[in-house]
Coordinates of all heavy atoms in Angstrom, one line a residue:
M1 N 80.8 72.3 183.2 CA 82.0 71.7 184.2 C 82.8 71.1 183.2 O 82.6 70.2 182.3 CB 81.4 70.9 185.2 CG 80.4 71.6 186.1 SD 79.6 70.4 187.2 CE 80.3 70.9 188.7
L2 N 84.1 71.1 183.7 CA 85.2 70.5 182.9 C 85.2 68.9 182.8 O 85.3 68.4 181.8 CB 86.6 71.0 183.4 CG 87.8 70.6 182.6 CD1 87.7 71.1 181.2 CD2 89.0 71.0 183.3
F3 N 85.0 68.3 184.1 CA 85.1 66.8 184.1 C 83.7 66.2 184.4 O 83.6 65.2 185.0 CB 86.1 66.4 185.1 CG 87.4 66.8 184.8 CD1 88.2 67.9 185.4 CD2 88.1 66.2 183.6 CE1 89.3 68.2 185.0 CE2 89.4 66.6 183.3 CZ 90.1 67.7 184.1
H4 N 82.7 67.0 184.1 CA 81.3 66.5 184.3 C 80.9 65.3 183.4 O 81.1 65.4 182.1 CB 80.4 67.6 184.2 CG 78.9 67.2 184.5 ND1 78.5 66.9 185.8 CD2 77.8 67.0 183.7 CE1 77.3 66.6 185.7 NE2 76.8 66.6 184.5
K5 N 80.5 64.1 184.0 CA 80.2 63.0 183.3 C 78.8 63.2 182.6 O 77.9 63.8 183.2 CB 80.1 61.7 184.1 CG 81.4 61.3 184.5 CD 81.2 60.0 185.3 CE 82.5 59.3 185.8 NZ 82.3 58.1 186.4
K6 N 78.7 62.9 181.3 CA 77.3 63.0 180.6 C 76.6 61.8 181.1 O 77.0 60.7 181.1 CB 77.6 62.9 179.2 CG 78.1 64.2 178.6 CD 78.1 64.1 177.1 CE 78.7 65.4 176.6 NZ 78.6 65.5 175.1
T7 N 75.2 62.0 181.3 CA 74.4 61.0 181.6 C 74.0 60.4 180.1 O 73.6 61.0 179.3 CB 73.2 61.4 182.3 OG1 73.3 62.7 182.7 CG2 72.8 60.5 183.5
P8 N 74.0 59.0 180.2 CA 73.7 58.3 178.9 C 72.1 58.4 178.6 O 71.3 58.4 179.7 CB 74.0 56.9 179.0 CG 74.1 56.7 180.5 CD 74.5 57.9 181.1
V9 N 71.7 58.6 177.4 CA 70.3 58.8 177.1 C 69.9 57.3 176.8 O 70.3 56.7 175.8 CB 70.2 59.8 175.8 CG1 68.6 59.7 175.4 CG2 70.7 61.1 176.1
L10 N 69.0 57.0 177.6 CA 68.4 55.6 177.5 C 67.3 55.6 176.6 O 66.4 56.6 176.7 CB 68.1 54.9 178.9 CG 69.2 54.9 179.8 CD1 68.7 54.4 181.2 CD2 70.3 53.9 179.3
P11 N 67.1 54.7 175.7 CA 65.9 54.6 174.9 C 64.6 54.6 175.7 O 64.5 53.8 176.6 CB 66.0 53.3 174.0 CG 67.4 52.9 174.2 CD 67.9 53.5 175.5
R12 N 63.6 55.3 175.2 CA 62.2 55.3 175.8 C 61.3 54.9 174.8 O 61.5 54.9 173.6 CB 61.9 56.6 176.3 CG 62.9 57.2 177.4 CD 62.5 58.4 177.9 NE 61.1 58.7 178.4 CZ 60.8 58.3 179.6 NH1 61.6 57.8 180.5 NH2 59.5 58.4 180.0
V13 N 60.3 54.2 175.3 CA 59.2 53.6 174.5 C 57.9 53.9 174.9 O 57.7 54.1 176.1 CB 59.5 52.1 174.3 CG1 59.3 51.4 175.6 CG2 58.6 51.5 173.2
R14 N 57.0 54.0 174.0 CA 55.5 54.2 174.4 C 54.8 53.0 173.6 O 54.9 52.8 172.5 CB 55.0 55.4 173.9 CG 53.4 55.6 174.1 CD 52.9 56.9 173.6 NE 53.5 58.0 174.2 CZ 54.0 59.0 173.5 NH1 54.0 59.0 172.1 NH2 54.6 60.1 174.0
V15 N 54.1 52.2 174.5 CA 53.4 51.1 174.0 C 51.9 51.3 174.3 O 51.6 51.7 175.4 CB 53.8 49.8 174.8 CG1 52.9 48.6 174.4 CG2 55.3 49.6 174.6
S16 N 51.0 51.1 173.3 CA 49.7 51.3 173.5 C 48.7 50.3 172.8 O 49.2 49.6 171.9 CB 49.2 52.8 172.9 OG 49.6 52.9 171.7
A17 N 47.5 50.4 173.2 CA 46.5 49.5 172.6 C 45.2 50.3 172.5 O 44.7 50.8 173.4 CB 46.2 48.2 173.4
D18 N 44.8 50.4 171.3 CA 43.5 51.0 171.0 C 43.5 52.5 171.6 O 42.5 52.9 172.3 CB 42.3 50.3 171.6 CG 42.2 48.9 170.9 OD1 42.3 48.8 169.7 OD2 41.8 47.9 171.6
H19 N 44.6 53.3 171.4 CA 44.7 54.7 171.7 C 44.8 54.9 173.2 O 44.6 55.8 173.8 CB 43.6 55.4 171.1 CG 43.4 55.4 169.7 ND1 44.3 56.0 168.8 CD2 42.4 54.8 168.9 CE1 44.0 55.6 167.6 NE2 42.9 55.0 167.6
T20 N 45.1 53.7 174.0 CA 45.3 53.9 175.4 C 46.7 53.4 175.6 O 47.3 52.4 175.3 CB 44.3 52.8 176.2 OG1 43.0 53.1 175.9 CG2 44.8 52.9 177.7
V21 N 47.6 54.4 176.4 CA 48.9 54.2 176.6 C 49.0 53.1 177.8 O 48.5 53.3 178.8 CB 49.7 55.4 177.1 CG1 51.1 55.1 177.4 CG2 49.7 56.4 175.8
L22 N 49.7 51.9 177.4 CA 49.9 50.9 178.4 C 51.2 51.1 179.2 O 51.2 50.8 180.3 CB 49.9 49.5 177.7 CG 48.7 49.1 176.9 CD1 49.0 47.9 176.1 CD2 47.5 49.0 177.7
Y23 N 52.1 51.5 178.5 CA 53.5 51.8 179.1 C 54.2 52.8 178.4 O 54.2 53.0 177.2 CB 54.3 50.5 179.1 CG 55.8 50.7 179.6 CD1 56.0 50.8 181.0 CD2 56.8 51.1 178.7 CE1 57.3 50.9 181.4 CE2 58.1 51.2 179.2 CZ 58.3 51.1 180.6 OH 59.6 51.3 181.1
E24 N 54.8 53.8 179.2 CA 55.7 54.8 178.6 C 57.0 55.0 179.5 O 56.6 55.3 180.7 CB 55.0 56.2 178.4 CG 55.9 57.1 177.7 CD 55.2 58.4 177.1 OE1 53.9 58.4 177.1 OE2 55.9 59.4 176.9
G25 N 58.1 54.6 179.1 CA 59.2 54.8 179.9 C 60.5 54.1 179.3 O 60.5 53.9 178.1
E26 N 61.5 53.8 180.1 CA 62.7 53.2 179.6 C 62.4 52.0 179.1 O 61.7 51.1 179.6 CB 63.8 53.2 180.7 CG 64.3 54.6 181.2 CD 65.3 54.4 182.1 OE1 65.7 53.4 182.6 OE2 65.8 55.5 182.5
L27 N 63.1 51.7 177.9 CA 62.9 50.3 177.3 C 63.4 49.2 178.2 O 62.7 48.1 178.2 CB 63.6 50.3 176.0 CG 63.4 49.1 175.1 CD1 62.0 48.9 174.8 CD2 64.0 49.3 173.8
K28 N 64.4 49.3 178.9 CA 65.0 48.3 179.8 C 64.0 48.1 180.9 O 64.2 47.0 181.6 CB 66.3 48.7 180.2 CG 66.4 49.8 181.3 CD 67.8 49.8 181.8 CE 67.9 50.8 183.1 NZ 69.2 50.8 183.7
A29 N 63.0 48.9 181.2 CA 62.1 48.7 182.4 C 60.8 48.2 181.8 O 59.9 48.0 182.7 CB 61.9 49.9 183.2
L30 N 60.7 47.9 180.6 CA 59.4 47.4 180.0 C 59.1 46.1 180.6 O 59.9 45.2 180.8 CB 59.6 47.2 178.6 CG 58.4 46.7 177.7 CD1 57.4 47.9 177.5 CD2 58.8 46.1 176.4
P31 N 57.8 45.9 181.1 CA 57.4 44.5 181.7 C 57.5 43.5 180.8 O 57.0 43.6 179.6 CB 56.0 44.8 182.1 CG 55.8 46.3 182.1 CD 56.7 46.9 181.2
I32 N 58.4 42.5 181.1 CA 58.6 41.2 180.3 C 57.9 40.1 181.0 O 58.0 40.0 182.2 CB 60.1 41.0 180.2 CG1 60.7 42.3 179.5 CG2 60.4 39.8 179.3 CD1 60.5 42.6 178.1
K33 N 57.4 39.2 180.2 CA 56.7 38.1 180.7 C 57.7 37.2 181.5 O 58.9 37.1 181.1 CB 56.1 37.2 179.6 CG 55.0 37.8 178.9 CD 54.5 37.0 177.8 CE 53.4 37.6 177.0 NZ 53.1 36.9 175.7
E34 N 57.3 36.7 182.7 CA 58.3 35.8 183.5 C 58.7 34.6 182.7 O 59.9 34.2 182.9 CB 57.4 35.4 184.8 CG 58.2 34.7 185.7 CD 59.3 35.6 186.4 OE1 59.3 36.8 186.3 OE2 60.3 34.9 187.0
S35 N 57.9 34.0 181.9 CA 58.3 32.8 181.2 C 59.4 33.1 180.2 O 60.2 32.3 180.1 CB 57.1 32.3 180.4 OG 56.5 33.1 179.6
V36 N 59.4 34.3 179.6 CA 60.5 34.8 178.7 C 61.7 35.0 179.5 O 62.8 34.6 179.1 CB 60.0 36.1 177.9 CG1 61.2 36.6 177.2 CG2 58.8 35.7 177.1
I37 N 61.6 35.7 180.6 CA 62.8 35.8 181.5 C 63.4 34.5 181.8 O 64.7 34.3 181.8 CB 62.5 36.7 182.7 CG1 62.0 38.2 182.3 CG2 63.8 36.7 183.7 CD1 61.7 39.0 183.4
I38 N 62.6 33.5 182.4 CA 63.2 32.3 182.6 C 63.8 31.6 181.5 O 64.9 31.0 181.5 CB 62.0 31.4 183.3 CG1 61.5 32.0 184.5 CG2 62.6 29.9 183.6 CD1 62.4 32.2 185.7
E39 N 63.1 31.5 180.3 CA 63.6 30.9 179.1 C 64.9 31.5 178.7 O 65.8 30.7 178.4 CB 62.6 31.2 178.0 CG 63.1 30.6 176.6 CD 62.2 31.1 175.6 OE1 60.9 31.2 175.8 OE2 62.6 31.3 174.4
K40 N 65.1 32.8 178.7 CA 66.3 33.5 178.3 C 67.5 33.3 179.3 O 68.6 33.3 179.0 CB 66.0 35.0 178.0 CG 65.1 35.2 176.8 CD 65.8 34.7 175.5 CE 64.9 34.9 174.4 NZ 65.5 34.4 173.1
S41 N 67.1 33.2 180.7 CA 68.1 33.0 181.7 C 68.7 31.6 181.5 O 69.9 31.4 181.7 CB 67.3 33.2 183.0 OG 68.3 32.8 184.1
I42 N 67.9 30.7 181.2 CA 68.3 29.3 180.9 C 69.2 29.3 179.7 O 70.4 28.7 179.6 CB 67.3 28.3 180.7 CG1 66.4 28.1 182.0 CG2 67.6 27.0 180.2 CD1 65.2 27.3 181.9
F43 N 68.9 30.1 178.7 CA 69.7 30.1 177.3 C 71.0 30.8 177.6 O 72.0 30.3 177.2 CB 68.8 30.9 176.3 CG 69.6 31.1 175.1 CD1 69.7 30.0 174.1 CD2 70.1 32.4 174.7 CE1 70.3 30.1 172.9 CE2 70.8 32.4 173.4 CZ 70.8 31.4 172.6
Y44 N 71.1 31.9 178.3 CA 72.2 32.7 178.5 C 73.1 32.2 179.6 O 74.3 32.2 179.5 CB 72.0 34.1 178.7 CG 71.3 35.1 177.6 CD1 70.2 35.6 177.7 CD2 71.9 35.0 176.3 CE1 69.6 36.4 176.7 CE2 71.3 35.6 175.3 CZ 70.1 36.3 175.4 OH 69.7 37.0 174.3
F45 N 72.5 31.8 180.7 CA 73.2 31.5 181.9 C 73.0 30.1 182.4 O 73.6 29.7 183.5 CB 72.9 32.5 183.0 CG 73.0 33.8 182.6 CD1 71.9 34.7 182.4 CD2 74.3 34.5 182.4 CE1 72.0 36.1 182.1 CE2 74.5 35.7 182.0 CZ 73.4 36.6 181.8
D46 N 72.2 29.3 181.7 CA 71.9 27.9 182.3 C 71.4 28.0 183.7 O 71.7 27.3 184.6 CB 73.2 26.9 182.2 CG 72.7 25.6 182.4 OD1 71.5 25.2 182.1 OD2 73.6 24.8 182.9
D47 N 70.5 29.0 183.9 CA 69.9 29.3 185.3 C 68.5 29.3 185.3 O 67.9 30.4 184.8 CB 70.5 30.7 185.7 CG 70.1 31.1 187.1 OD1 69.4 30.2 187.8 OD2 70.6 32.1 187.7
P48 N 67.7 28.3 185.7 CA 66.3 28.3 185.6 C 65.7 29.2 186.8 O 64.5 29.2 186.8 CB 66.0 26.7 185.8 CG 67.2 26.2 186.5 CD 68.4 27.0 186.0
E49 N 66.5 29.5 187.7 CA 65.9 30.3 188.9 C 66.7 31.5 188.9 O 67.7 31.6 189.9 CB 65.9 29.5 190.1 CG 65.0 28.3 190.2 CD 65.1 27.5 191.4 OE1 65.7 28.1 192.4 OE2 64.4 26.5 191.5
P50 N 66.6 32.5 188.0 CA 67.6 33.6 188.0 C 67.6 34.5 189.1 O 66.5 35.0 189.7 CB 67.2 34.4 186.7 CG 65.8 34.0 186.6 CD 65.7 32.6 187.1
C51 N 68.8 34.8 189.6 CA 68.9 35.8 190.7 C 68.7 37.2 190.1 O 68.6 37.4 188.9 CB 70.4 35.7 191.3 SG 71.7 36.1 190.1
F52 N 68.7 38.2 190.9 CA 68.6 39.6 190.5 C 69.5 40.0 189.4 O 69.2 40.7 188.4 CB 68.8 40.5 191.6 CG 68.6 41.9 191.2 CD1 67.4 42.6 190.8 CD2 69.8 42.8 191.2 CE1 67.4 43.9 190.4 CE2 69.8 44.0 190.8 CZ 68.6 44.7 190.4
I53 N 70.7 39.5 189.5 CA 71.9 39.9 188.5 C 71.5 39.2 187.2 O 71.6 40.0 186.1 CB 73.2 39.5 189.1 CG1 73.6 40.4 190.4 CG2 74.3 39.6 187.9 CD1 74.8 39.8 191.0
H54 N 71.2 38.0 187.1 CA 71.0 37.3 185.8 C 69.6 37.8 185.3 O 69.5 38.1 184.1 CB 70.8 35.8 186.1 CG 72.1 35.1 186.2 ND1 72.2 33.8 186.5 CD2 73.4 35.6 186.1 CE1 73.4 33.5 186.5 NE2 74.2 34.5 186.3
R55 N 68.7 38.2 186.1 CA 67.3 38.6 185.7 C 67.6 40.0 185.1 O 67.0 40.3 183.9 CB 66.4 38.9 186.9 CG 65.1 39.2 186.6 CD 64.2 39.2 187.9 NE 64.0 37.9 188.3 CZ 62.9 37.2 187.9 NH1 62.1 37.6 186.9 NH2 62.8 35.9 188.3
N56 N 68.3 40.9 185.6 CA 68.6 42.2 185.0 C 69.5 42.1 183.8 O 69.1 42.8 182.8 CB 69.5 43.1 186.1 CG 69.5 44.4 185.7 OD1 68.7 45.1 185.1 ND2 70.7 45.1 185.8
A57 N 70.3 41.2 183.7 CA 71.2 41.0 182.5 C 70.3 40.5 181.3 O 70.5 41.0 180.1 CB 72.3 40.0 182.8
V58 N 69.3 39.6 181.7 CA 68.4 39.2 180.5 C 67.5 40.4 180.1 O 67.4 40.6 178.9 CB 67.5 38.1 181.1 CG1 66.3 37.8 180.2 CG2 68.3 36.8 181.4
C59 N 67.1 41.2 181.0 CA 66.3 42.3 180.7 C 67.0 43.3 179.8 O 66.5 43.9 178.8 CB 65.6 43.0 181.9 SG 64.4 42.0 182.6
V60 N 68.2 43.6 180.1 CA 69.1 44.4 179.3 C 69.3 43.9 177.9 O 69.2 44.6 176.9 CB 70.4 44.8 180.0 CG1 71.4 45.5 179.1 CG2 70.2 45.5 181.3
R61 N 69.5 42.6 177.8 CA 69.8 42.0 176.5 C 68.4 42.1 175.6 O 68.5 42.3 174.5 CB 70.2 40.5 176.6 CG 71.7 40.4 177.1 CD 72.1 38.9 177.2 NE 73.4 38.9 177.6 CZ 74.2 37.8 177.4 NH1 73.9 36.8 176.6 NH2 75.5 37.8 177.9
L62 N 67.4 41.8 176.3 CA 66.1 41.7 175.5 C 65.7 43.2 175.2 O 65.3 43.4 174.0 CB 65.0 41.3 176.5 CG 65.1 39.7 176.9 CD1 63.9 39.3 177.7 CD2 65.2 38.9 175.5
A63 N 66.1 44.2 176.0 CA 65.8 45.6 175.6 C 66.7 46.0 174.4 O 66.1 46.7 173.5 CB 66.2 46.5 176.8
E64 N 67.9 45.5 174.3 CA 68.7 45.7 173.1 C 68.0 45.1 171.8 O 67.9 45.8 170.8 CB 70.1 45.3 173.3 CG 70.9 45.4 172.0 CD 71.3 46.8 171.8 OE1 71.3 47.8 172.6 OE2 71.4 47.1 170.5
E65 N 67.6 44.0 171.9 CA 66.9 43.3 170.8 C 65.7 44.1 170.4 O 65.3 44.3 169.2 CB 66.6 41.9 171.0 CG 67.8 41.0 171.1 CD 67.6 39.5 171.3 OE1 66.7 39.0 170.6 OE2 68.2 38.9 172.2
L66 N 64.8 44.5 171.4 CA 63.6 45.2 171.1 C 63.9 46.6 170.5 O 63.2 47.1 169.7 CB 62.9 45.4 172.4 CG 62.1 44.1 172.9 CD1 61.6 44.4 174.3 CD2 61.1 43.6 172.0
Y67 N 65.0 47.2 171.0 CA 65.4 48.6 170.5 C 65.7 48.3 168.9 O 65.2 49.2 168.2 CB 66.7 49.0 171.2 CG 67.1 50.3 170.7 CD1 66.5 51.5 170.8 CD2 68.3 50.4 170.1 CE1 66.9 52.7 170.5 CE2 68.9 51.6 169.7 CZ 68.2 52.8 169.8 OH 68.6 54.1 169.4
R68 N 66.4 47.4 168.6 CA 66.8 47.1 167.1 C 65.5 46.9 166.3 O 65.4 47.4 165.3 CB 67.7 46.0 167.0 CG 69.1 46.3 167.5 CD 70.1 45.2 167.3 NE 71.3 45.4 168.0 CZ 72.2 44.5 168.2 NH1 72.0 43.2 168.0 NH2 73.3 44.8 168.9
E69 N 64.6 46.0 167.0 CA 63.3 45.9 166.2 C 62.7 47.1 166.0 O 62.0 47.4 164.9 CB 62.6 44.9 167.0 CG 61.2 44.5 166.4 CD 60.4 43.5 167.2 OE1 59.8 43.9 168.2 OE2 60.4 42.4 166.7
L70 N 62.4 47.9 167.1 CA 61.6 49.3 167.0 C 62.4 50.1 165.9 O 61.6 51.0 165.3 CB 61.5 49.8 168.3 CG 60.6 49.1 169.2 CD1 60.7 49.7 170.7 CD2 59.2 49.3 168.8
L71 N 63.7 50.2 165.9 CA 64.3 51.0 164.9 C 64.0 50.7 163.5 O 63.9 51.4 162.6 CB 65.9 51.0 165.1 CG 66.4 51.9 166.3 CD1 67.9 51.6 166.4 CD2 66.1 53.3 166.2
A72 N 64.0 49.3 163.3 CA 63.7 48.9 161.9 C 62.2 48.9 161.4 O 61.9 48.8 160.3 CB 64.2 47.4 161.8
A73 N 61.4 49.0 162.5 CA 59.9 48.8 162.1 C 59.3 50.1 161.7 O 59.8 51.1 161.9 CB 59.1 48.4 163.4
P74 N 58.3 49.9 160.8 CA 57.7 51.2 160.4 C 57.0 51.9 161.6 O 56.7 51.2 162.7 CB 56.5 50.7 159.5 CG 56.8 49.2 159.2 CD 57.8 48.8 160.2
D75 N 56.9 53.2 161.6 CA 56.3 54.1 162.7 C 55.1 53.5 163.2 O 54.1 53.1 162.5 CB 56.2 55.4 162.2 CG 57.4 56.2 162.1 OD1 58.4 55.7 162.7 OD2 57.4 57.2 161.4
G76 N 55.1 53.3 164.5 CA 53.8 52.8 165.2 C 53.6 51.2 165.1 O 52.6 50.8 165.7
C77 N 54.4 50.6 164.5 CA 54.2 49.1 164.4 C 54.9 48.3 165.4 O 56.1 48.5 165.7 CB 54.7 48.7 163.0 SG 54.5 46.9 162.6
A78 N 54.1 47.4 166.0 CA 54.7 46.6 167.1 C 55.2 45.4 166.4 O 54.4 44.6 165.8 CB 53.6 46.2 168.2
G79 N 56.4 45.0 166.7 CA 57.1 43.8 166.0 C 56.9 42.5 166.7 O 56.2 42.5 167.9
P80 N 57.1 41.4 166.2 CA 56.9 40.1 166.8 C 57.6 39.9 168.0 O 57.0 39.2 169.0 CB 57.3 39.1 165.7 CG 58.2 39.9 164.7 CD 57.9 41.3 165.0
L81 N 58.7 40.4 168.3 CA 59.5 40.2 169.6 C 58.7 41.0 170.7 O 58.5 40.4 171.8 CB 60.9 40.7 169.5 CG 61.8 39.9 168.6 CD1 63.2 40.5 168.6 CD2 61.9 38.4 168.9
L82 N 58.5 42.2 170.4 CA 57.7 42.9 171.3 C 56.3 42.3 171.7 O 55.9 42.2 172.9 CB 57.3 44.4 170.9 CG 56.6 45.3 171.9 CD1 57.5 45.5 173.2 CD2 56.3 46.6 171.2
L83 N 55.6 41.9 170.7 CA 54.3 41.1 171.0 C 54.4 39.9 171.8 O 53.7 39.5 172.6 CB 53.6 40.9 169.7 CG 53.2 42.1 168.8 CD1 52.8 41.6 167.5 CD2 52.1 42.9 169.5
A84 N 55.6 39.2 171.5 CA 55.8 37.9 172.3 C 56.3 38.1 173.7 O 56.0 37.2 174.6 CB 56.8 37.0 171.4
W85 N 57.1 39.1 173.9 CA 57.8 39.2 175.1 C 57.2 40.1 176.2 O 57.3 39.9 177.4 CB 59.2 39.7 174.9 CG 60.2 38.8 174.2 CD1 59.9 37.5 173.9 CD2 61.4 39.1 173.6 NE1 61.0 36.9 173.2 CE2 61.9 37.9 173.0 CE3 62.2 40.3 173.5 CZ2 63.1 37.8 172.3 CZ3 63.5 40.2 172.9 CH2 63.8 39.0 172.3
A86 N 56.5 41.2 175.7 CA 56.0 42.2 176.6 C 54.8 41.6 177.4 O 54.0 40.8 176.9 CB 55.5 43.4 175.9
D87 N 54.7 42.0 178.6 CA 53.7 41.4 179.5 C 52.4 42.3 179.5 O 52.0 42.9 180.4 CB 54.3 41.4 181.0 CG 53.4 40.4 181.8 OD1 52.6 39.7 181.3 OD2 53.6 40.4 183.2
F88 N 51.9 42.3 178.3 CA 50.5 43.0 178.1 C 49.6 42.1 177.4 O 50.0 41.3 176.4 CB 50.8 44.4 177.3 CG 51.6 45.2 177.9 CD1 52.8 45.6 177.5 CD2 51.2 45.9 179.1 CE1 53.7 46.6 178.1 CE2 52.0 46.9 179.9 CZ 53.2 47.2 179.3
D89 N 48.4 42.2 177.6 CA 47.4 41.4 176.9 C 47.3 41.6 175.3 O 47.2 40.7 174.5 CB 46.0 41.3 177.5 CG 45.9 40.8 178.9 OD1 46.7 39.9 179.2 OD2 45.0 41.4 179.7
R90 N 47.3 42.9 175.0 CA 47.2 43.4 173.7 C 48.0 44.6 173.4 O 48.1 45.5 174.2 CB 45.7 43.6 173.5 CG 45.4 44.0 171.9 CD 44.0 43.8 171.7 NE 43.7 44.0 170.2 CZ 43.3 45.1 169.8 NH1 42.7 46.0 170.5 NH2 43.1 45.2 168.5
I91 N 48.7 44.6 172.3 CA 49.5 45.8 171.9 C 49.1 46.1 170.4 O 49.2 45.2 169.6 CB 51.0 45.5 171.9 CG1 51.4 45.2 173.3 CG2 51.7 46.7 171.4 CD1 52.9 44.8 173.6
T92 N 48.8 47.3 170.2 CA 48.5 47.7 168.8 C 49.5 48.7 168.2 O 49.7 48.7 167.0 CB 47.1 48.3 168.6 OG1 47.1 49.4 169.5 CG2 46.0 47.4 168.9
C93 N 50.2 49.4 169.1 CA 51.1 50.4 168.7 C 52.3 50.4 169.6 O 52.2 50.2 170.8 CB 50.7 51.8 168.7 SG 49.8 52.3 167.2
A94 N 53.6 50.7 169.0 CA 54.8 50.8 169.8 C 55.8 51.8 169.1 O 55.8 51.6 168.0 CB 55.4 49.6 170.1
A95 N 56.3 52.7 169.8 CA 57.2 53.6 169.1 C 58.3 54.1 170.1 O 58.0 54.2 171.3 CB 56.4 54.8 168.6
L96 N 59.5 54.3 169.6 CA 60.5 55.0 170.4 C 60.1 56.5 170.7 O 59.6 57.1 169.6 CB 61.9 54.9 169.8 CG 62.4 53.5 169.7 CD1 63.6 53.5 168.9 CD2 62.7 52.9 171.0
V97 N 60.3 57.0 171.8 CA 60.0 58.4 172.1 C 61.2 59.1 172.6 O 62.2 58.6 173.1 CB 58.7 58.6 173.1 CG1 57.5 58.2 172.4 CG2 59.0 57.8 174.4

């Protein structure tokens, strides 16, 4: 189609622990710890009780930082930001898919 908009390709990630997939999907939808969302909402917006808009904006910013970390990390290595921010008890592997 002549004027068909291209859908942007969003980064996807697979997070696992001991050969068990914990999460596979869009990076911006990765479960983030509530304490991290609150901390970053205060940092970015001075908002200790973030509304949906601020909460979403924080998740998008964190997803961008995680994306950069995953690009720079060796294959399968979970970086310090992912380990600190993701809402999982244990992560052994993480990779962009």
